[in-house]
Amino acid sequence: MLINCVVYEDGSKLADIQVSEIGEYLSRPGCFVWVALHEATAAELAELQRQFGLHPLAVEDAQHGHQRPKVEEYADSLFAVMHLLEPGTASMGEAGVGEVDVFVGRNYVVSVRSRSEHGFVEVRERCEREPELLRQGPGFVLYALMDAVVDRYFPVIDALEVELETIEMRIFTKGAARESIQRLYELKRRLTVLKHAVAPLLEGAAKLHGGRVPQLCAGSQEYFRDVVDHLGRINASVDASRDTIGTAISVNLSMVTIEDGEVTKRLAAWAAIFAVCTAFAGIWGMNFQHMPELQWRFGYPAALLLIAATSGYLYHRFRRAGWV
């Protein structure tokens, strides 16, 4: 579905046009066309491919979707893929992650958004408020789109870090081990989704500010460096959180082992107490003829007293040792 098709000249908006009118403006100096699509159909992409001469491999990637984040160079054009994440979507896994594919040429920008309802209206408004920067052309628009995508990652990592801190506070709560492990593994999976969005994009964006920079981005290198810096910070935070989760899982499993050991010690202590009672009862229950205790008048209460005293002594010692 077509969202916008706008012509810009010397950093200012010239007009909203139809896709069929694009060819009239592509040859004008200082002009470029910015087309935004949402859930683009094959027919829409084919028409834009015809109008702008988009590379067929890039168009194929945009049609199929579910691409790894990347920045690819095709002759005098660029093709970028970025994953769209929001605080509520990372829990759905890779299948629920949105995507935006951006085609950038000397006089055009085409953005194709998929599986995400949060558009880029604010990006267009920002670019139009800064005509001196928009005058740099499609390269600056690519930066603005990339910057907006990366900025959406910060609330995601912040939410995941807050959740991790909450789980860490419950690790030493008795009886919460199973729930904590489940939440930690779910959190680790969501961090992996964010990692898959950030790490490849960091690698791709690094090509746009250092080394042999594509001509389209030559005037916006400093801005792409800022994007790379943000991606690097997010990537470091993801790695730190994943390490913390690994430690938390190990501690949690240790707590489970300790709790199991405590139960085993209690069972062993009570088993020892009842074993003494059983031993005494077994000895006096043999009923041999020449057992002196059988004929003693106070034998029965004395036996009960001895059993109770021995059991009480053992209970006292186990109590002091923390076993019961």
Side-chain angles (χ1 to χ4, degrees):
M1 179 177 67
L2 180 67
I3 304 298
N4 294 105
C5 183
V6 183
V7 179
Y8 295 90
E9 184 176 18
D10 293 328
S12 300
K13 180 177 179 180
L14 186 61
D16 291 289
I17 62 173
Q18 299 296 319
V19 173
S20 58
E21 302 176 89
I22 290 176
E24 302 175 15
Y25 296 91
L26 292 182
S27 58
R28 294 178 58 170
C31 279
F32 73 91
V33 180
W34 182 356
V35 181
L37 299 170
H38 180 223
E39 304 294 352
T41 64
E44 289 174 327
L45 288 174
E47 174 62 18
L48 292 176
Q49 181 181 8
R50 187 185 65 81
Q51 293 276 7
F52 297 119
L54 305 179
H55 197 281
L57 290 177
V59 173
E60 182 180 351
D61 285 347
Q63 285 179 340
H64 293 163
H66 299 284
Q67 300 295 311
R68 181 177 182 267
K70 58 186 177 180
V71 177
E72 294 180 335
E73 190 172 0
Y74 294 98
D76 58 347
S77 64
L78 291 174
F79 176 63
V81 178
M82 295 172 280
H83 285 179
L84 301 175
L85 293 177
E86 296 172 14
T89 61
S91 61
M92 296 189 295
E94 296 283 7
V97 175
E99 183 179 311
V100 59
D101 305 315
V102 185
F103 302 84
V104 184
R106 180 181 57 81
N107 52 5
Y108 66 86
V109 177
V110 178
S111 60
V112 182
R113 178 167 47 92
S114 306
R115 303 185 306 281
S116 176
E117 297 302 320
H118 189 174
F120 294 99
V121 176
E122 72 281 1
V123 177
R124 190 179 292 273
E125 292 175 349
R126 171 193 173 183
C127 290
E128 292 177 355
R129 286 196 306 268
E130 300 175 328
E132 69 284 355
L133 296 176
L134 189 58
R135 195 173 290 117
Q136 297 177 15
F140 178 76
V141 175
L142 175 61
Y143 152 74
L145 288 169
M146 192 175 291
D147 186 53
V149 170
V150 173
D151 283 346
R152 295 181 189 181
Y153 295 158
F154 281 104
V156 176
I157 188 63
D158 289 343
L160 294 177
E161 288 177 344
V162 169
E163 185 172 351
L164 177 57
E165 291 173 1
T166 303
I167 297 173
E168 283 186 300
M169 293 174 62
R170 287 180 51 83
I171 284 181
F172 298 101
T173 302
K174 189 175 181 179
R178 183 182 182 87
E179 179 188 353
S180 295
I181 288 179
Q182 289 177 334
R183 293 179 65 187
L184 284 169
Y185 271 100
E186 172 64 19
L187 189 59
K188 186 176 182 180
R189 187 182 66 83
R190 291 158 61 187
L191 277 169
T192 301
V193 173
L194 181 57
K195 179 74 173 180
H196 289 170
V198 172
L201 185 59
L202 174 60
E203 178 184 346
K207 303 175 184 177
L208 305 180
H209 85 89
R212 191 191 67 81
V213 178
Q215 186 61 35
L216 289 168
C217 305
S220 306
Q221 289 177 254
E222 295 83 1
Y223 297 97
F224 285 108
R225 184 172 60 222
D226 183 63
V227 171
V228 171
D229 178 64
H230 289 173
L231 286 169
R233 287 165 49 195
I234 296 172
N235 192 54
S237 296
V238 171
D239 289 339
S241 296
R242 294 177 74 182
D243 290 341
T244 302
I245 287 176
T247 303
I249 290 175
S250 298
V251 171
N252 205 61
L253 293 175
S254 298
M255 293 299 299
V256 171
T257 303
I258 291 172
E259 289 181 4
D260 290 344
E262 292 295 326
V263 173
T264 302
K265 287 194 297 184
R266 286 181 172 83
L267 291 175
W270 285 109
I273 293 172
F274 283 107
V276 171
C277 299
T278 303
F280 283 139
I283 292 172
W284 284 310
M286 291 186 289
N287 294 323
F288 288 116
Q289 183 176 359
H290 300 290
M291 292 182 66
E293 296 88 350
L294 296 178
Q295 304 300 322
W296 186 32
R297 178 180 178 183
F298 299 104
Y300 179 66
L304 293 179
L305 181 61
L306 178 62
I307 291 173
T310 305
S311 299
Y313 173 74
L314 291 174
Y315 178 82
H316 173 69
R317 292 299 301 271
F318 288 135
R319 183 79 173 178
R320 287 184 61 184
W323 282 39
V324 293

